[in-house]
């Protein structure tokens, strides 16, 4: 049963709604004319690049806000980028089928320049989660706005084929770390994407069958090897773990509940996973990535506060969800931009300066933070009326 929306004072409601308008304007204003959503237009290490991971959630926020044109352009852009790589992917699949050892630098990149190239700056490639997230985002957008998926099929098929072959390869995680591991949040994104596209009925029968099968294999692997069940220090209720064989918690695991449904919302393992994330990583409504984080001293991430809040809303805990939304709004800059993380509570304060020296101030605005804010505001019914957007 869903709790009623908790009482919000009128000025607070106005502030929260105003930040949705601002979030939409920030994302729309920085979208590349070709359709890409830059991760952070001014941040030294991200400038000039678009990630599928950031883009998928940013698109979901914009789709909920009702900016269909912006989201269509993003999905058109991804489709063009992936369709142009169809031959490369076919070659990779053939090589894997022939038993060749494929080095990471032959795989698809994690981020693209706005014209769809790999770019010349080295990065932590290879990561598969973004391909699953994009499939989920394009299906969700098409369903919400009653759009045909055919337009995006050339890109969709490349992403599907790529994941069907490489879904269980170790790769970098959401945070671009630990390439040697198989990450449960990555399996969650792949499960969510493949299941969404298979159930959308847009694929041919063979791809549909294989997509459903791999989605189930990803779930089976995560449940068999990626939970704390039976491990030392196992709590009474096992929860999903950071990677196969680990007992650590990572805030990205919340996405394995909502939106990706690797574990169904409301099940014991879903609740235990969200509880573990909250217990280990939520401080005053702001959410850390994982306890051992040292990036910029290991601050609290706005997009993760929104992800946990989204899960609270899905579980019917609207007061809990609102607490996260308010925390995020409290950390907007004076001109309404949302950073990637804030340093109110650092897990490794002694490590902050080295990152400031290396890459400069924290990425601000981070479009993914704004996209997540739109999603959580929508969950709470706090988007402006259509005629006031
Ligand atoms: C984060 C990634 C993100 C990228 C671009 C990195 O620091 O770890 O999750 O996709 O920034 O925002």
């Amino acid at each position: 049963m869903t709790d009623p929306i908790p009482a919000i004072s009128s000025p607070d409601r106005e502030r929260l709604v105003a930040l949705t308008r601002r979030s939409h304007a920030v994302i729309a204003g920085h979208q590349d004319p070709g359709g890409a959503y830059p991760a952070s237009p001014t941040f030294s290490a991200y400038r000039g690049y678009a990630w599928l991971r950031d883009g998928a959630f940013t698109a979901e926020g914009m789709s909920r806000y009702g900016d269909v044109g912006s989201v269509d352009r993003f999905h058109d852009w991804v489709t063009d980028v992936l369709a142009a790589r169809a031959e490369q992917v076919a070659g990779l699949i053939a090589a894997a089928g022939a038993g060749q050892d494929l080095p990471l630098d032959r795989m698809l990149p994690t981020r693209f320049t706005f014209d769809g190239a790999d770019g010349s700056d080295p990065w932590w490639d290879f990561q598969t989660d973004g391909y699953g997230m994009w499939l989920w985002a394009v299906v969700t957008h098409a369903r919400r706005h009653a759009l045909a998926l055919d337009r995006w099929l050339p890109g969709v098929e490349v992403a599907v084929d790529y994941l069907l072959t490489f879904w269980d390869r170790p790769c970098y995680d959401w945070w671009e770390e630990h390439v040697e591991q198989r990450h449960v949040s990555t399996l969650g994104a792949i499960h969510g994407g493949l299941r969404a596209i298979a159930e959308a009925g847009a694929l041919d029968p063979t791809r549909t069958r294989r997509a459903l099968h791999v989605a189930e294999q990803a779930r089976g692997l995560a449940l068999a090897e990626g939970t704390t069940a039976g491990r030392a220090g196992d709590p009474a209720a096992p929860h999903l773990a950071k990677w196969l064989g680990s007992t650590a918690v990572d805030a990205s695991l919340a996405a394995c509940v909502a939106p990706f449904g690797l574990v169904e919302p409301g099940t014991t393992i879903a609740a235990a996973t969200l509880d573990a994330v909250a217990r280990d990583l939520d401080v005053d409504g702001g959410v850390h990535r994982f306890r051992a984080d040292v990036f910029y001293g290991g601050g609290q991430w706005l997009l993760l506060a929104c992800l946990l809040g989204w899960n609270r809303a899905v579980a019917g805990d609207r007061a809990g969800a609102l607490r996260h939304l308010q925390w995020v709004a409290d950390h907007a800059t004076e001109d309404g931009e949302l950073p990637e993380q804030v340093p109110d509570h650092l897990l490794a304060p002694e490590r902050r300066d080295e990152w400031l020296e290396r890459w400069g101030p924290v990425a601000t605005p981070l479009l993914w933070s704004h996209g997540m804010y739109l999603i959580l505001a929508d969950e709470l019914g706090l988007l402006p009326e259509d005629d006031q957007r």
Side-chain angles (χ1 to χ4, degrees):
M1 177 128 158
T2 300
D3 293 338
I5 179 93
I8 318 177
S9 69
S10 175
D12 198 29
R13 174 180 290 268
E14 267 167 43
R15 165 184 85 121
L16 297 173
V17 174
L19 191 52
T20 70
R21 286 200 193 87
R22 180 74 180 123
S23 287
H24 168 259
V26 168
I27 296 169
H30 289 296
Q31 184 171 20
D32 184 71
Y37 291 127
S40 182
T42 51
F43 182 62
S44 65
Y46 306 167
R47 196 186 301 131
Y49 287 93
W51 275 249
L52 293 184
R53 174 173 44 247
D54 300 46
F57 285 107
T58 303
E60 172 64 6
M62 293 293 268
S63 176
R64 287 176 181 237
Y65 195 83
D67 194 339
V68 179
S70 163
V71 182
D72 284 354
R73 282 196 299 285
F74 171 71
H75 292 314
D76 288 346
W77 174 76
V78 178
T79 294
D80 288 349
V81 169
L82 295 185
R85 292 169 184 261
E87 244 177 66
Q88 180 189 353
V89 169
L92 290 170
I93 294 169
Q100 277 179 35
D101 206 11
L102 286 168
L104 297 188
D105 62 8
R106 283 191 55 193
M107 307 305 285
L108 295 184
T110 300
R111 60 182 200 166
F112 300 90
T113 59
F114 304 155
D115 58 3
D118 290 25
S120 50
D121 308 283
W123 200 253
W124 291 272
D125 299 312
F126 126 92
Q127 303 173 25
T128 45
D129 61 281
Y131 293 86
M133 291 167 181
W134 178 65
L135 289 172
W136 166 82
V138 74
V139 170
T140 306
H141 173 64
R143 192 186 313 118
R144 174 176 301 115
H145 296 287
L147 306 168
L149 274 166
D150 314 19
R151 162 178 182 178
W152 297 302
L153 210 52
V156 162
E157 289 179 348
V158 173
V160 168
D161 292 349
Y162 186 63
L163 291 177
L164 291 180
T165 302
F166 299 113
W167 68 274
D168 63 346
R169 260 193 90 161
C171 67
Y172 290 102
D173 66 3
W174 284 37
W175 318 127
E176 317 191 296
E177 297 184 347
H178 300 290
V179 69
E180 70 289 355
Q181 301 295 349
R182 291 189 290 174
H183 302 276
V184 173
S185 303
T186 299
L187 293 172
I190 293 171
H191 172 88
L194 288 178
R195 198 169 89 179
I197 191 64
E199 291 176 351
L203 298 174
D204 57 77
T206 305
R207 281 198 178 91
T208 302
R209 189 178 36 77
R210 292 186 64 207
L212 284 173
H213 180 64
V214 168
E216 279 321 304
Q217 280 185 297
R219 187 213 300 271
L221 183 60
L223 291 179
E225 299 180 33
T227 80
T228 54
R231 302 198 190 281
D234 180 19
H239 56 77
L240 294 175
K242 190 168 162 73
W243 58 68
L244 302 187
S246 142
T247 52
V249 177
D250 190 292
S252 61
L253 290 168
C256 292
V257 185
F260 298 130
L262 182 82
V263 292
E264 287 303 318
T267 55
T268 310
I269 189 157
T273 301
L274 298 175
D275 285 351
V277 169
R279 191 178 53 239
D280 277 27
L281 302 170
D282 173 355
V283 178
D284 299 330
V287 177
H288 294 284
R289 298 193 298 180
F290 50 93
R291 299 290 309 176
D293 194 5
V294 299
F295 185 51
Y296 282 91
Q300 296 163 286
W301 283 51
L302 281 72
L303 68 95
L304 291 174
C306 292
L307 177 63
L308 191 55
W310 183 2
N311 271 279
R312 293 290 178 228
V314 168
D317 174 9
R318 292 164 69 82
L322 179 63
R323 168 177 169 267
H324 289 295
L325 192 78
Q326 285 169 322
W327 180 88
V328 173
D330 290 345
H331 290 87
T333 64
E334 256 175 37
D335 60 352
E337 291 187 341
L338 300 179
E340 176 187 72
Q341 59 170 293
V342 293
D344 292 14
H345 180 269
L346 292 173
L347 295 168
E350 71 290 353
R351 302 294 299 276
R352 183 167 159 79
D353 285 351
E354 71 188 67
W355 285 98
L356 287 169
E357 279 155 30
R358 184 170 165 191
W359 280 357
V362 165
T364 312
L366 187 83
L367 270 60
W368 187 5
S369 298
H370 285 283
M372 295 298 289
Y373 184 82
L374 290 175
I375 294 172
L376 182 54
D378 180 44
E379 288 290 330
L380 285 164
L382 288 170
L383 292 183
E385 295 300 322
D386 283 349
D387 57 351
Q388 286 166 26
R389 289 186 192 172

